[in-house]
Amino acid sequence: MNSERIALITGANKGIGLQVSRELALLGHTVLIGARSKARGTEVETKFTEEGLRAVFVPIDVTDHATIKAAASLISERFGRLDVLINNAGIVLDAGTPPSQVSMGTLRKTFETNVFGAFAVLQTMLPLLLKSEAGRVVNMSSGLGSLTQNSDPNYEFANVKLLAYNSSKTTLNAFTVQFAYELKDTSIKVNSAEPGFTATDLNDHRGTRTVEQAASIVVRLATLPESGPTGGFFDENGQVPW
Ligand SMILES: NC(=O)c1ccc[n+]([C@@H]2O[C@H](COP(=O)([O-])OP(=O)(O)OC[C@H]3O[C@@H](n4cnc5c(N)ncnc54)[C@H](OP(=O)(O)O)[C@@H]3O)[C@@H](O)[C@H]2O)c1
């Protein structure tokens, strides 16, 4: 692998994305801090730079195609390739809402970010990832996106039936499989990560895991050796059922 790896993390300004960015930077990556807020993105860039880490703020709102295209141009001009893409930006809009009460607007909005946004970023960044000698894509999924777990009444989170959020992560997992197959003869690996129930703003910090624990599987998938898997769904203990 190149000694200096270039990694783009969407939603890198807080939560799990911020921790993943820090850990990849500590491993020597140049981290591109994808954030939709200039103030929040610049703040992370400045902090990391002061700590001696290589970080560059890249404006990116995954629901705004113009910003994704502009980000790809910036990365192309400045670095000429992308080695790691962490499709991390995500939202939950239907917490506490039973499936029968979810509005079409909530479903659409959730999919705009978690599904169409992730797709648009991956598709737009693909030419740059193909220029890497070992491209790694990590789609930030969730155990809640596992149909096997969701349909198991004994699953720890069986009562968390967030129709919009859960199905958005199921769809993201489907994208992992489709892209991994298309790219199987390239040096790019595409995998889904399940970070576990983690204390972040996404769940008003009710999660029981730390961002450090959550980041471990993401960083592992982002730094897989050539012999590593592609087209899989993993948490820190191994494979998660689809
Ligand atoms: N926390 C958990 O228990 C858990 C479990 C499984 C999976 N996950 C997944 O892990 C990922 C990170 O979640 P988190 O817990 O770290 O949540 P978080 O702290 O709320 O962070 C979410 C990040 O996504 C960004 N974002 C949201 N919409 C965006 C958009 N349209 N364009 C660009 N960035 C956008 C947010 O930016 P702003 O600051 O601008 O809002 C923020 O940086 C998500 O995909 C989530 O579904 C989390």
Side-chain angles (χ1 to χ4, degrees), residues 13 18 32 55 67 108 121 151 186 195 200 208:
N13 55 283
L18 176 61
L32 309 183
T67 69
R108 279 191 207 284
V121 174
S151 54
T186 72
T200 66
T208 50

Short mmCIF file of all heavy atoms in Angstrom, two decimals, residues 13 18 32 55 67 108 121 151 186 195 200 208:
data_model
loop_
_atom_site.label_atom_id
_atom_site.label_comp_id
_atom_site.label_asym_id
_atom_site.label_seq_id
_atom_site.Cartn_x
_atom_site.Cartn_y
_atom_site.Cartn_z
N ASN A 13 -17.39 15.15 11.41
CA ASN A 13 -17.21 16.21 12.42
C ASN A 13 -17.60 15.81 13.82
O ASN A 13 -17.32 16.52 14.78
CB ASN A 13 -17.96 17.48 12.00
CG ASN A 13 -19.43 17.22 11.73
OD1 ASN A 13 -19.78 16.70 10.68
ND2 ASN A 13 -20.29 17.57 12.67
N LEU A 18 -15.93 11.02 13.58
CA LEU A 18 -14.81 11.80 14.12
C LEU A 18 -13.75 10.86 14.71
O LEU A 18 -12.54 11.03 14.47
CB LEU A 18 -15.32 12.77 15.19
CG LEU A 18 -14.27 13.59 15.94
CD1 LEU A 18 -13.47 14.48 14.98
CD2 LEU A 18 -14.93 14.45 17.03
N LEU A 32 -9.57 13.23 5.06
CA LEU A 32 -10.38 14.28 4.46
C LEU A 32 -11.68 14.31 5.26
O LEU A 32 -12.46 13.36 5.25
CB LEU A 32 -10.64 13.98 2.99
CG LEU A 32 -9.37 13.66 2.18
CD1 LEU A 32 -9.70 13.45 0.71
CD2 LEU A 32 -8.32 14.76 2.34
N ALA A 55 -4.94 16.48 8.18
CA ALA A 55 -6.38 16.56 7.99
C ALA A 55 -6.74 17.73 7.09
O ALA A 55 -6.13 18.80 7.19
CB ALA A 55 -7.07 16.72 9.34
N THR A 67 -22.14 19.29 -4.11
CA THR A 67 -21.03 19.27 -3.14
C THR A 67 -20.21 17.98 -3.27
O THR A 67 -19.01 17.97 -3.04
CB THR A 67 -21.53 19.41 -1.67
OG1 THR A 67 -22.25 18.23 -1.29
CG2 THR A 67 -22.40 20.63 -1.48
N ARG A 108 -38.64 9.17 3.02
CA ARG A 108 -37.86 9.76 1.92
C ARG A 108 -36.61 10.46 2.44
O ARG A 108 -35.52 10.30 1.90
CB ARG A 108 -38.70 10.80 1.17
CG ARG A 108 -39.65 10.23 0.17
CD ARG A 108 -40.23 11.38 -0.69
NE ARG A 108 -41.54 11.07 -1.22
CZ ARG A 108 -41.77 10.24 -2.23
NH1 ARG A 108 -40.77 9.65 -2.83
NH2 ARG A 108 -42.99 10.00 -2.64
N VAL A 121 -22.19 9.23 -3.14
CA VAL A 121 -20.78 9.46 -2.77
C VAL A 121 -19.92 8.32 -3.32
O VAL A 121 -18.88 8.55 -3.94
CB VAL A 121 -20.61 9.57 -1.24
CG1 VAL A 121 -19.13 9.64 -0.86
CG2 VAL A 121 -21.34 10.81 -0.71
N SER A 151 -35.75 -10.12 12.35
CA SER A 151 -36.88 -11.07 12.35
C SER A 151 -36.74 -12.11 13.46
O SER A 151 -37.56 -13.01 13.58
CB SER A 151 -37.01 -11.74 10.99
OG SER A 151 -35.78 -12.32 10.62
N THR A 186 -11.05 -6.00 -9.09
CA THR A 186 -10.20 -4.82 -8.91
C THR A 186 -9.54 -4.93 -7.52
O THR A 186 -9.78 -5.89 -6.79
CB THR A 186 -11.03 -3.51 -8.95
OG1 THR A 186 -11.80 -3.41 -7.74
CG2 THR A 186 -11.98 -3.50 -10.14
N PRO A 195 -21.19 -0.92 13.99
CA PRO A 195 -20.38 -0.41 15.11
C PRO A 195 -20.95 -0.74 16.48
O PRO A 195 -20.26 -0.57 17.49
CB PRO A 195 -20.39 1.10 14.88
CG PRO A 195 -21.68 1.36 14.17
CD PRO A 195 -21.98 0.15 13.34
N THR A 200 -23.83 8.48 21.02
CA THR A 200 -23.57 9.64 20.17
C THR A 200 -24.85 10.49 20.12
O THR A 200 -25.89 10.08 20.65
CB THR A 200 -23.22 9.23 18.71
OG1 THR A 200 -24.39 8.63 18.13
CG2 THR A 200 -22.06 8.27 18.63
N THR A 208 -24.65 2.25 24.59
CA THR A 208 -23.89 1.70 25.71
C THR A 208 -22.41 1.52 25.37
O THR A 208 -21.62 1.13 26.22
CB THR A 208 -24.49 0.34 26.13
OG1 THR A 208 -24.64 -0.46 24.95
CG2 THR A 208 -25.84 0.52 26.79
#
